[in-house]
């Protein structure tokens, strides 16, 4: 059954890949500007259907765009990696076969400043993270995205504070030793896992459930909203509330398409993206206690690290910062600016 559903999803993605770029001249509307062309915006992401990212897209972004544009802009949401894993749909937005996406920071390999968003133990709380990403620092992080990758940034949203889930308790640093840990295929993630003492296995998020179920890996790191929405709690027993990294997401649109839109259409999309992302920040922050209660009801045990354990994790991660500072002259000043934003 899973194979059949996967085949249908792939077939649908192939069929739709050429549809979104088709344009027909519409009569326009007061909201979209006179003579505006009609565009269908496919929005791809890797989150489960019930994740706050997709709730916000359905409840805010889609209705706002379609209503405010008078029908010249239509939105189709492709969640749960329907149009490919993160790299695939991000590349689709870059080359224009997919109009929009909400990736993580996969682009940081080519744009090093974007890696800042996921440096370990850097953010104090949601308010601190939101102030950084939605303010001048967030603009600075994305300033090269359009020129280097051909995608236009619209709004920062929140994935949340990442924590480790596993099939056994993690209550001290030594418990990471020998732990087969799935992490995204991003150098900073991999290095952090290794410094903590884990055996890191990079893989796309779409493969995580099966890897956990078949004991290919023992654990993974993600915000607990993802643990719940993706059903991984069925194949895990423990969560360490490590809050070791804040993970943001970014609403993006193909730059060529962006420049073809009318000024009114661009304003509508940007306004809707910011409203949707702002709503998603709110949903993510509010959902933590509810997600935790749900997971506990389903047998997940939570471990909150004491001060000594947390300090040990931060100390273990310090060589990563030493390497970053040696590589990027701007990095230390950036860290200081981010920490100052918490005050």
């Amino acid at each position: 059954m899973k194979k059949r559903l996967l085949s249908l999803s792939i077939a649908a993605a192939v069929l739709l890949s050429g549809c979104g770029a088709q344009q027909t001249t519409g009569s326009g509307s007061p909201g979209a500007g006179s003579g505006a062309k009609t565009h269908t915006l496919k929005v791809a992401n890797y989150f489960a259907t019930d994740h706050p990212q997709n709730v916000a897209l359905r409840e805010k972004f889609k209705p706002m765009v379609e209503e405010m544009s008078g029908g010249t802009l239509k939105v189709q949401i492709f969640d749960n990696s329907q149009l490919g894993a993160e790299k695939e749909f991000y590349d689709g937005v870059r080359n224009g076969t997919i109009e929009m996406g909400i990736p993580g920071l996969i682009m940081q390999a080519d744009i090093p400043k974007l890696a800042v968003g996921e440096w370990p133990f850097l953010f104090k709380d949601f308010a601190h993270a939101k102030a950084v990403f939605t303010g001048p620092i967030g603009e600075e992080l994305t300033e090269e995205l359009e020129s280097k990758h051909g995608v236009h940034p619209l709004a920062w949203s929140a994935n949340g504070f990442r924590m480790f889930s596993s099939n056994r308790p993690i209550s001290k640093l030594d418990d990471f030793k020998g732990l087969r840990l799935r992490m995204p295929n991003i150098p900073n993630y991999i290095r952090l896992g290794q410094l903590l003492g884990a055996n890191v296995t990079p893989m796309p998020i779409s493969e995580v459930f099966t890897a956990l179920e078949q004991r290919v890996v023992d654990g993974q790191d993600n915000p607990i909203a993802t643990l719940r929405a993706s059903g991984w709690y069925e194949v895990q027993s423990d969560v360490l509330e490590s809050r070791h990294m804040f993970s943001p997401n970014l609403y993006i649109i193909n730059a060529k398409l962006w420049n073809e839109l009318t000024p009114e259409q661009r304003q509508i999309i940007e306004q809707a993206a910011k409203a949707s992302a702002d709503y998603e920040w709110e949903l993510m922050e509010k959902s933590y206690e509810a997600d935790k209660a749900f997971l506990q009801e389903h047998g997940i045990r939570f471990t909150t690290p004491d001060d000594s354990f947390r300090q040990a994790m931060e100390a273990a991660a310090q060589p990563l910062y030493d390497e970053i500072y040696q590589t990027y002259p701007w990095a230390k000043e950036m860290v200081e600016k981010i920490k100052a934003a918490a005050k």
Side-chain angles (χ1 to χ4, degrees):
M1 184 64 180
K2 288 183 179 178
K3 290 182 178 179
R4 184 183 175 192
L5 288 173
L6 179 60
S7 299
L8 288 172
S9 297
I10 292 171
V14 172
L15 177 64
L16 287 163
S17 66
C19 296
Q22 292 179 358
Q23 303 171 9
T24 58
T25 303
S27 57
S29 70
S34 178
K37 292 183 178 180
T38 299
H39 298 264
T40 296
L41 306 175
K42 298 189 298 293
V43 186
N45 66 80
Y46 49 72
F47 292 99
T49 303
D50 294 332
H51 189 279
Q53 293 282 6
N54 286 305
V55 173
L57 284 174
R58 291 194 303 270
E59 295 184 5
K60 293 289 184 181
F61 184 77
K62 178 179 170 69
M64 285 183 67
V65 167
E66 293 181 345
E67 290 170 16
M68 292 169 65
S69 71
T72 68
L73 297 171
K74 301 182 185 300
V75 176
Q76 296 177 346
I77 301 166
F78 292 87
D79 56 26
N80 211 21
S81 301
Q82 291 181 63
L83 298 187
E86 183 179 21
K87 184 181 187 306
E88 285 70 37
F89 78 70
Y90 181 71
D91 287 345
V93 178
R94 290 185 68 182
N95 63 39
T97 58
I98 301 171
E99 288 74 24
M100 289 185 60
I102 307 181
L105 300 184
I106 192 170
M107 66 291 287
Q108 64 184 256
D110 296 331
I111 306 171
K113 273 193 178 180
L114 276 165
V116 173
E118 293 178 322
W119 288 351
F121 304 107
L122 187 54
F123 293 96
K124 180 181 176 182
D125 51 28
F126 263 87
H128 181 201
K130 189 175 183 182
V132 168
F133 289 111
T134 62
I137 294 175
E139 293 180 6
E140 181 180 349
L141 299 183
T142 59
E143 62 188 2
E144 295 181 308
L145 191 56
E146 188 163 346
S147 61
K148 287 192 173 182
H149 275 196
V151 299
H152 179 80
L154 293 166
W156 286 99
S157 62
N159 191 357
F161 281 96
R162 300 180 79 95
M163 303 181 186
F164 295 106
S165 75
S166 58
N167 56 21
R168 59 180 184 264
I170 303 173
S171 57
K172 57 185 183 300
L173 195 62
D174 283 349
D175 291 337
F176 282 103
K177 291 181 179 177
L179 187 76
R180 295 170 301 174
L181 186 65
R182 177 270 170 182
M183 298 190 89
N185 192 18
I186 296 174
N188 288 342
Y189 280 86
I190 295 169
R191 183 71 173 127
L192 174 62
Q194 292 170 340
L195 288 170
L196 292 173
N199 296 327
V200 179
T201 300
M203 69 175 65
I205 196 169
S206 56
E207 299 176 13
V208 172
F209 185 95
T210 301
L212 293 170
E213 183 180 38
Q214 296 180 353
R215 297 296 181 98
V216 174
V217 293
D218 302 308
Q220 61 81 44
D221 87 308
N222 260 292
I224 63 169
T226 303
L227 185 68
R228 175 180 181 176
S230 299
W232 299 340
Y233 60 87
E234 297 175 8
V235 288
Q236 296 279 264
S237 62
D238 288 85
V239 166
L240 172 64
E241 292 181 288
S242 53
R243 300 171 68 87
H244 56 276
M245 188 183 292
F246 187 87
S247 190
N249 287 89
L250 190 62
Y251 283 53
I252 58 169
I253 187 169
N254 174 267
K256 182 179 180 182
L257 170 62
W258 179 252
N259 292 323
E260 291 173 357
L261 298 172
T262 66
E264 293 82 4
Q265 286 176 322
R266 290 198 292 269
Q267 184 178 9
I268 288 166
I269 291 171
E270 189 167 61
Q271 183 178 342
K274 290 185 184 302
S276 181
D278 191 58
Y279 181 46
E280 195 274 338
W281 277 94
E282 180 183 342
L283 290 175
M284 279 298 301
E285 185 172 12
K286 287 182 176 179
S287 74
Y288 185 80
E289 292 303 325
D291 290 335
K292 182 176 179 178
F294 174 90
L295 293 170
Q296 288 175 322
E297 288 169 6
H298 287 76
I300 297 293
R301 295 170 298 200
F302 278 73
T303 299
T304 302
D306 59 22
D307 290 343
S308 62
F309 184 12
R310 183 169 183 82
Q311 289 167 7
M313 287 190 288
E314 292 186 19
Q318 186 56 45
L320 174 57
Y321 277 101
D322 296 339
E323 294 161 11
I324 290 168
Y325 294 157
Q326 289 177 2
T327 305
Y328 303 111
W330 48 263
K332 194 163 188 177
E333 182 183 354
M334 178 66 74
V335 166
E336 290 171 355
K337 284 195 297 185
I338 290 173
K339 289 182 176 180
K343 299 177 181 177

